[in-house]
């Protein structure tokens, strides 16, 4: 299935609406700027951001490590742009709020060091 620009625009609009509904302090313009800044304006990221808040409306206002990576990037972009009320997602293991939570263990975001610990320090498990 291919998406047209209209479909992408409609999905972007849906994401903006969901983000504004979940965080009252965030405007449509700020959300659009944050999507661009976070590199989340393409289909996979938009889908992840659209689906997650639909099931978890408080995803941006409650600290939870159970979010897609695109939502982590969006939360930090919103924070960088001065959005009030946005809570940054923490690492599931250590609780650190870091911009880069690239790894997922049992659907939770974790930092690199914690990912290695959960894999027994096996770097090949990270790479492979």
């Amino acid at each position: 299935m291919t998406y047209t620009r209209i479909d992408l625009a409609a999905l972007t609009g849906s994401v903006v609406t969901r983000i504004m509904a979940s965080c009252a302090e965030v405007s449509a313009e700020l959300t659009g700027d944050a999507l661009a800044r976070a590199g989340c304006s393409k289909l996979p990221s938009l889908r992840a951001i659209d689906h997650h808040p639909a099931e978890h409306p408080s995803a941006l206002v409650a600290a939870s490590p159970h979010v897609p990576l695109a939502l982590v990037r969006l939360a930090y972009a919103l924070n960088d742009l001065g959005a009030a009320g946005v809570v940054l997602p923490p690492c599931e293991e250590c609780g650190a709020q870091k911009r880069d939570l690239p790894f997922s263990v049992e659907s939770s975001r974790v930092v690199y060091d914690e990912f290695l610990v959960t894999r027994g320090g096996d770097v090949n498990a990270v790479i492979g």
Side-chain angles (χ1 to χ4, degrees):
M1 173 193 263
T2 61
Y3 278 80
T4 64
R5 289 178 194 233
I6 295 169
D7 295 333
L8 195 57
L11 183 57
T12 302
S14 175
V15 165
V16 169
T17 300
R18 285 194 200 283
I19 299 304
M20 288 173 46
S22 70
C23 190
E25 295 84 8
V26 177
S27 68
E29 183 179 354
L30 185 65
T31 302
D33 291 347
L35 285 169
R37 183 181 196 135
C40 294
S41 56
K42 296 200 174 160
L43 190 61
S45 295
L46 287 172
R47 276 187 178 156
I49 294 170
D50 190 47
H51 291 151
H52 191 79
E55 297 174 13
H56 309 281
S58 64
L60 284 173
V61 295
S64 173
H66 306 285
V67 296
L69 182 57
L71 203 60
V72 172
R73 292 193 312 257
L74 179 61
Y76 274 93
L78 285 166
N79 186 63
D80 291 348
L81 292 170
V86 174
V87 178
L88 303 175
C91 171
E92 169 75 299
E93 299 294 321
C94 68
Q97 290 177 313
K98 293 189 175 183
R99 183 173 301 278
D100 194 20
L101 293 172
F103 299 102
S104 182
V105 174
E106 297 176 9
S107 76
S108 298
R109 305 309 314 173
V110 295
V111 296
Y112 180 77
D113 294 339
E114 298 298 335
F115 186 77
L116 285 178
V117 169
T118 62
R119 298 294 185 255
D122 183 5
V123 176
N124 290 324
V126 175
I127 297 170

